[in-house]
Coordinates of all heavy atoms in Angstrom, one line a residue:
A306 N -10.2 -2.1 -15.8 CA -8.9 -2.4 -15.5 C -8.9 -2.9 -14.0 O -7.8 -3.3 -13.6 CB -8.0 -1.4 -15.5
G307 N -9.9 -3.2 -13.4 CA -9.9 -3.8 -12.0 C -9.8 -2.8 -10.8 O -9.6 -3.2 -9.7
L308 N -10.0 -1.5 -11.0 CA -10.0 -0.5 -10.0 C -11.4 -0.1 -9.8 O -12.1 0.6 -10.5 CB -9.2 0.7 -10.5 CG -7.7 0.3 -10.8 CD1 -7.1 1.5 -11.6 CD2 -6.8 -0.1 -9.7
A309 N -11.8 -0.3 -8.4 CA -13.1 0.1 -8.0 C -13.1 1.6 -7.5 O -12.5 2.0 -6.5 CB -13.6 -0.7 -6.9
V310 N -13.6 2.5 -8.4 CA -13.6 3.9 -8.1 C -14.7 4.2 -7.0 O -15.9 4.1 -7.3 CB -13.9 4.7 -9.4 CG1 -13.8 6.2 -9.0 CG2 -12.8 4.4 -10.5
E311 N -14.2 4.5 -5.9 CA -15.1 4.7 -4.7 C -15.6 6.2 -4.8 O -16.9 6.4 -4.4 CB -14.5 4.4 -3.4 CG -14.0 3.1 -3.3 CD -13.1 2.9 -2.0 OE1 -12.8 3.9 -1.4 OE2 -12.8 1.7 -1.7
R312 N -14.9 7.2 -5.1 CA -15.3 8.6 -5.2 C -14.8 9.3 -6.4 O -13.7 8.9 -6.9 CB -14.7 9.2 -3.9 CG -15.2 8.7 -2.6 CD -14.4 9.5 -1.5 NE -14.7 10.9 -1.5 CZ -13.8 11.8 -1.0 NH1 -12.5 11.5 -0.4 NH2 -14.0 13.0 -1.1
V313 N -15.6 10.2 -6.8 CA -15.1 11.2 -7.9 C -15.3 12.6 -7.3 O -16.3 13.0 -6.9 CB -16.0 11.0 -9.1 CG1 -15.6 12.1 -10.2 CG2 -15.8 9.5 -9.8
V314 N -14.2 13.2 -7.2 CA -14.1 14.6 -6.6 C -13.6 15.6 -7.5 O -12.9 15.3 -8.5 CB -13.2 14.6 -5.3 CG1 -13.7 13.5 -4.3 CG2 -11.7 14.2 -5.6
P315 N -14.1 16.9 -7.3 CA -13.6 18.0 -8.2 C -12.2 18.4 -7.7 O -11.8 18.3 -6.4 CB -14.6 19.1 -7.9 CG -15.1 18.8 -6.6 CD -15.0 17.3 -6.3
A316 N -11.4 18.9 -8.6 CA -10.1 19.4 -8.2 C -10.2 20.7 -7.2 O -9.5 20.8 -6.3 CB -9.2 19.8 -9.4
L317 N -11.1 21.5 -7.6 CA -11.5 22.7 -6.7 C -13.0 22.8 -6.7 O -13.7 22.3 -7.6 CB -10.8 24.0 -7.3 CG -9.4 24.1 -7.5 CD1 -8.9 25.3 -8.3 CD2 -8.6 24.0 -6.1
W318 N -13.4 23.5 -5.6 CA -14.9 23.5 -5.4 C -15.2 24.8 -4.5 O -14.4 25.2 -3.8 CB -15.5 22.3 -4.6 CG -14.7 22.0 -3.4 CD1 -15.2 22.5 -2.1 CD2 -13.4 21.4 -3.1 NE1 -14.3 22.0 -1.1 CE2 -13.2 21.5 -1.8 CE3 -12.5 20.8 -3.9 CZ2 -12.1 20.9 -1.2 CZ3 -11.4 20.3 -3.3 CH2 -11.2 20.3 -2.0
P319 N -16.5 25.4 -4.8 CA -16.8 26.5 -4.0 C -16.9 26.2 -2.5 O -17.2 25.1 -2.0 CB -18.2 26.9 -4.4 CG -18.3 26.2 -5.8 CD -17.5 24.9 -5.7
G320 N -16.4 27.1 -1.8 CA -16.5 26.9 -0.2 C -16.2 28.2 0.6 O -16.1 29.3 -0.1
D321 N -16.0 28.1 1.8 CA -15.9 29.2 2.6 C -14.5 29.8 2.4 O -14.3 31.1 2.5 CB -16.0 28.8 4.0 CG -17.4 28.4 4.5 OD1 -18.3 28.9 3.8 OD2 -17.6 27.6 5.4
S322 N -13.4 29.0 2.2 CA -12.1 29.5 1.9 C -11.8 29.5 0.4 O -12.4 28.8 -0.3 CB -11.0 28.6 2.5 OG -11.1 27.3 2.0
T323 N -11.1 30.6 0.0 CA -10.7 30.8 -1.4 C -9.5 29.9 -1.7 O -8.5 29.7 -1.0 CB -10.4 32.3 -1.7 OG1 -11.5 33.0 -1.1 CG2 -10.2 32.4 -3.1
Q324 N -9.6 29.3 -3.0 CA -8.6 28.5 -3.4 C -8.3 29.0 -4.9 O -9.2 29.3 -5.7 CB -9.0 27.0 -3.6 CG -9.6 26.4 -2.3 CD -10.1 25.0 -2.5 OE1 -9.5 24.0 -2.8 NE2 -11.5 24.9 -2.4
A325 N -7.0 29.0 -5.2 CA -6.6 29.5 -6.5 C -5.4 28.7 -7.0 O -4.5 28.5 -6.2 CB -6.2 31.0 -6.4
H326 N -5.5 28.2 -8.3 CA -4.4 27.5 -8.8 C -4.2 27.9 -10.2 O -5.2 27.9 -11.0 CB -4.6 26.0 -8.6 CG -3.5 25.2 -9.2 ND1 -2.3 25.0 -8.5 CD2 -3.3 24.4 -10.3 CE1 -1.6 24.1 -9.1 NE2 -2.2 23.8 -10.2
F327 N -2.9 28.1 -10.8 CA -2.6 28.3 -12.1 C -2.3 27.0 -12.7 O -1.3 26.3 -12.5 CB -1.5 29.2 -12.3 CG -1.7 30.7 -11.7 CD1 -1.4 31.0 -10.4 CD2 -2.3 31.6 -12.4 CE1 -1.5 32.3 -9.9 CE2 -2.4 32.9 -12.1 CZ -2.3 33.2 -10.8
F328 N -3.2 26.6 -13.7 CA -3.0 25.4 -14.4 C -2.3 25.6 -15.7 O -2.2 26.7 -16.3 CB -4.4 24.7 -14.8 CG -5.0 24.1 -13.6 CD1 -5.7 24.9 -12.7 CD2 -4.9 22.7 -13.2 CE1 -6.4 24.2 -11.6 CE2 -5.5 22.2 -12.2 CZ -6.2 22.9 -11.3
E329 N -1.8 24.6 -16.3 CA -1.1 24.5 -17.6 C -2.3 24.5 -18.7 O -3.0 23.6 -18.7 CB -0.2 23.3 -17.8 CG 0.5 23.4 -19.1 CD 1.5 22.3 -19.3 OE1 1.5 21.4 -18.4 OE2 2.1 22.0 -20.4
G330 N -2.3 25.5 -19.6 CA -3.4 25.4 -20.6 C -2.9 25.0 -21.8 O -2.0 24.1 -21.9
V331 N -3.3 25.6 -22.9 CA -2.9 25.1 -24.4 C -1.5 25.5 -24.6 O -1.1 26.6 -24.4 CB -3.9 25.7 -25.3 CG1 -3.6 25.3 -26.8 CG2 -5.3 25.4 -25.1
A332 N -0.7 24.4 -25.1 CA 0.5 24.6 -25.6 C 0.6 25.0 -27.1 O 0.2 24.0 -27.9 CB 1.4 23.5 -25.2
R333 N 1.0 26.1 -27.4 CA 1.0 26.5 -28.9 C 2.5 26.2 -29.5 O 3.4 26.2 -28.7 CB 0.6 28.0 -29.1 CG -0.7 28.2 -28.7 CD -1.2 29.7 -28.9 NE -2.6 30.0 -28.5 CZ -3.1 31.1 -28.5 NH1 -2.4 32.1 -29.1 NH2 -4.3 31.2 -28.2
P334 N 2.6 25.9 -30.7 CA 3.9 25.7 -31.4 C 4.9 26.9 -31.1 O 4.5 28.0 -31.2 CB 3.5 25.5 -32.8 CG 2.2 25.1 -32.8 CD 1.5 25.8 -31.7
D335 N 6.0 26.5 -30.6 CA 7.2 27.4 -30.4 C 6.8 28.4 -29.4 O 7.2 29.6 -29.5 CB 7.6 28.2 -31.8 CG 8.0 27.1 -32.9 OD1 8.6 26.1 -32.4 OD2 7.8 27.3 -34.0
A336 N 6.0 28.1 -28.4 CA 5.6 29.1 -27.4 C 5.4 28.3 -26.1 O 5.2 27.2 -26.0 CB 4.3 29.7 -27.9
E337 N 5.5 29.1 -25.2 CA 5.3 28.5 -23.8 C 3.7 28.2 -23.6 O 3.0 28.9 -24.1 CB 5.9 29.6 -22.6 CG 7.3 29.7 -22.6 CD 8.0 28.4 -22.2 OE1 7.5 27.6 -21.4 OE2 9.1 28.2 -22.7
P338 N 3.4 27.2 -22.7 CA 2.0 27.0 -22.5 C 1.3 28.1 -21.8 O 2.0 28.9 -21.0 CB 2.1 25.7 -21.6 CG 3.4 25.7 -20.9 CD 4.4 26.4 -22.0
E339 N 0.2 28.5 -22.3 CA -0.6 29.6 -21.7 C -1.3 29.1 -20.5 O -2.1 28.2 -20.5 CB -1.6 30.1 -22.7 CG -0.9 30.7 -24.0 CD -2.0 31.4 -24.8 OE1 -3.2 31.2 -24.5 OE2 -1.5 32.0 -25.9
P340 N -1.1 29.7 -19.2 CA -1.7 29.2 -18.1 C -3.1 29.7 -18.1 O -3.5 30.7 -18.7 CB -0.9 29.8 -17.0 CG -0.3 31.0 -17.6 CD 0.0 30.8 -19.1
F341 N -4.0 29.1 -17.2 CA -5.2 29.7 -17.0 C -5.4 29.6 -15.5 O -4.8 28.8 -14.7 CB -6.4 29.0 -17.7 CG -6.7 27.5 -17.2 CD1 -7.6 27.3 -16.1 CD2 -5.9 26.5 -17.6 CE1 -7.9 26.0 -15.8 CE2 -6.2 25.1 -17.3 CZ -7.2 24.9 -16.3
L342 N -6.3 30.5 -14.9 CA -6.5 30.5 -13.5 C -7.9 29.8 -13.1 O -8.9 30.1 -13.7 CB -6.6 31.9 -13.0 CG -6.9 32.2 -11.6 CD1 -5.9 31.6 -10.6 CD2 -7.1 33.7 -11.2
A343 N -7.7 28.9 -12.1 CA -8.9 28.4 -11.6 C -9.1 28.9 -10.1 O -8.2 28.7 -9.2 CB -8.8 26.7 -11.6
L344 N -10.2 29.6 -10.0 CA -10.5 30.3 -8.8 C -11.8 29.8 -8.1 O -12.8 29.9 -8.8 CB -10.6 31.8 -8.9 CG -10.5 32.8 -7.8 CD1 -9.3 32.6 -6.9 CD2 -10.8 34.1 -8.2
A345 N -11.7 29.3 -6.9 CA -12.9 28.8 -6.2 C -13.0 29.6 -4.9 O -12.0 29.8 -4.1 CB -12.8 27.3 -5.8

Side-chain angles (χ1 to χ4, degrees):
L308 300 172
V310 181
E311 300 173 352
R312 299 173 58 209
V313 176
V314 300
L317 298 174
W318 58 94
D321 296 336
S322 61
T323 306
Q324 307 172 70
H326 183 76
F327 294 91
F328 285 84
E329 180 184 1
V331 178
R333 297 181 180 178
D335 302 328
E337 292 294 326
E339 294 184 358
F341 72 91
L342 174 63
L344 188 61

